Amino acid sequence: MAKALWYVGEDRAELREEAIAAPGSGEVRVRALYGAISRGTERLVAFGRVPASEYERMRAPLMAGAFPFPVKYGYATVGRVESGVTPGQLVFALHPHQDEFTIPTTMAIPVPAAVPPARAVLAANMETALNAMWDGAPGPADRIAVVGGGIVGLLIARLCARMPGVEVTLVDIAPERAALAHALGAGFATPEEAPCDCDLVFHASASAKGLATALGLAGEEATIVELSWYGAGEVAAPLGEAFHSRRLRLVASQVGKVAPSHRSRWTHGRRLGAALALLDDPALDVLLAPANRFRRVAGADRRPAGVQWRRALPGDPLSCGPGLAFGAADQLRNSQLRRR
């Protein structure tokens, strides 16, 4: 029997045993090694804050149950194929948190040999960052601000920093984020000190104040790429004052669809494969923190262990949703992400 993590009520999760089928034609059986919980989307799921209007659009590819509860949700698992057409292969799957599972071969994306399995859990986040880069279309020598030093914001900052001549600044309310930004090749500033007149701004703080900051940092006729998803919450966007006279563009970026600039040529599978290849970057290991065993992740009627959803101290790794990581002897460890 496999063990799977289910959200069963507001801020409550439990491990359930499930029978899994032997792989048939075109399927593989995977034993999980590592995984990650998103402090952004998955926190909203854990608290039942997915709007009813978004129930279908927010379904993860391999989730079970139904919103709001009970639901088996998640989309960042790295494992090894145990049986099927490619035994022994290391793969990434958009699968909920479960120690063993059977999936179609087409949904088991090979992890490049140069990417360690623990780092490969960032694939879904990197895919979001890559899609946002396509939506924003940064260019060499651009001045770029990334507002929100969560996992996606940090990945975007890293991708921008690797472009020639780009001046990229991570903007966050927590000075502790400076060390992460610098480790990834980006500058850092608090909102009060951030550079203005930017050519491009990415917003990923999931807060109204962050959105206001992003709009204020954009230069004349610049683009603000909005990555935050607020769930059922309402957010006031400050579109008065000089928003119209400066002809700013506010663009939504969401990973559910390939960015329009690439949609006619790129499939979701090709984009995910590209995201995995971009993880061949040892600098990204600063985004990973120590792990916990799977059996400690959840018990009856409580939140996943170590997930302190209500704490939001940027820079505190326990304030972020942890990732899940299976080790030897069927031990699921937790590879905490620093915040999405």
Side-chain angles (χ1 to χ4, degrees):
M1 299 288 284
K3 294 182 178 65
L5 179 68
W6 283 75
Y7 294 105
V8 296
E10 184 176 335
D11 199 20
R12 294 189 295 119
E14 66 184 24
L15 290 178
R16 294 182 175 181
E17 290 192 342
E18 300 183 9
I20 53 174
S25 176
E27 293 182 326
V28 292
R29 181 166 178 167
V30 177
R31 177 172 291 274
L33 298 172
Y34 292 88
I37 294 176
S38 160
R39 187 183 180 273
T41 301
E42 207 156 342
R43 177 181 57 177
L44 294 170
V45 171
F47 276 92
R49 293 178 182 169
V50 177
S53 63
E54 300 302 302
Y55 281 178
E56 286 303 313
R57 277 189 287 263
M58 284 305 300
R59 288 190 64 85
L62 295 166
M63 67 172 271
F67 295 123
F69 304 109
V71 62
K72 182 173 70 173
Y73 194 85
Y75 46 79
T77 298
V78 176
R80 195 173 301 280
V81 175
E82 288 203 326
S83 58
V85 294
T86 55
Q89 186 174 55
L90 194 66
V91 297
F92 176 88
L94 296 166
H95 196 281
H97 314 297
Q98 187 167 318
D99 58 359
E100 291 183 82
F101 50 86
T102 297
I103 56 173
T105 303
T106 54
M107 301 194 75
I109 311 300
V111 174
V115 178
R119 194 190 308 154
V121 299
L122 297 171
N125 304 101
M126 180 61 87
E127 187 179 18
T128 300
L130 175 60
N131 210 53
M133 292 286 285
W134 290 343
D135 280 323
D142 274 352
R143 176 183 293 172
I144 299 171
V146 181
V147 180
I151 199 74
V152 171
L154 288 163
L155 288 171
I156 291 172
R158 177 60 176 174
L159 292 178
C160 290
R162 300 182 76 176
M163 297 180 65
V166 163
E167 176 190 337
V168 57
T169 303
L170 181 74
V171 181
D172 200 282
I173 60 174
E176 299 91 334
R177 295 283 175 184
L180 286 172
H182 296 154
L184 296 174
F188 177 85
T190 60
E192 298 76 20
E193 302 169 337
C196 297
D197 199 29
C198 292
D199 300 295
L200 176 64
V201 182
F202 293 95
H203 176 235
S205 80
S207 71
K209 288 184 178 180
L211 177 56
T213 296
L215 290 166
L217 298 181
E220 191 91 1
E221 299 189 341
T223 295
I224 303 95
V225 179
E226 173 61 279
L227 290 100
S228 301
W229 185 58
Y230 303 92
E234 294 185 1
V235 177
L239 303 183
E241 299 180 344
F243 176 81
H244 281 280
S245 62
R246 287 165 42 200
R247 297 175 55 86
L248 300 181
R249 296 177 66 245
L250 184 59
V251 177
S253 181
Q254 205 277 336
V255 74
K257 292 184 179 180
V258 176
S261 61
H262 287 62
R263 194 175 301 162
S264 63
R265 301 175 302 280
W266 283 70
T267 63
H268 287 81
R270 182 184 177 191
R271 185 184 62 183
L272 182 54
L276 278 162
L278 288 170
L279 295 177
D280 182 8
D281 181 2
L284 299 178
D285 288 341
V286 299
L287 302 177
L288 301 172
N292 287 328
R293 300 179 187 276
F294 190 28
R295 61 175 176 264
R296 293 187 57 241
V297 169
D301 300 327
R302 65 181 177 91
R303 72 178 64 89
V307 181
Q308 301 186 26
W309 299 117
R310 292 193 178 91
R311 294 184 64 188
L313 292 174
D316 178 358
L318 290 182
S319 71
C320 317
L324 309 178
F326 297 83
D330 196 23
Q331 295 173 343
L332 181 62
R333 296 176 295 167
N334 180 337
S335 178
Q336 290 179 330
L337 303 186
R338 289 200 177 267
R339 190 179 74 170
R340 182 180 176 196

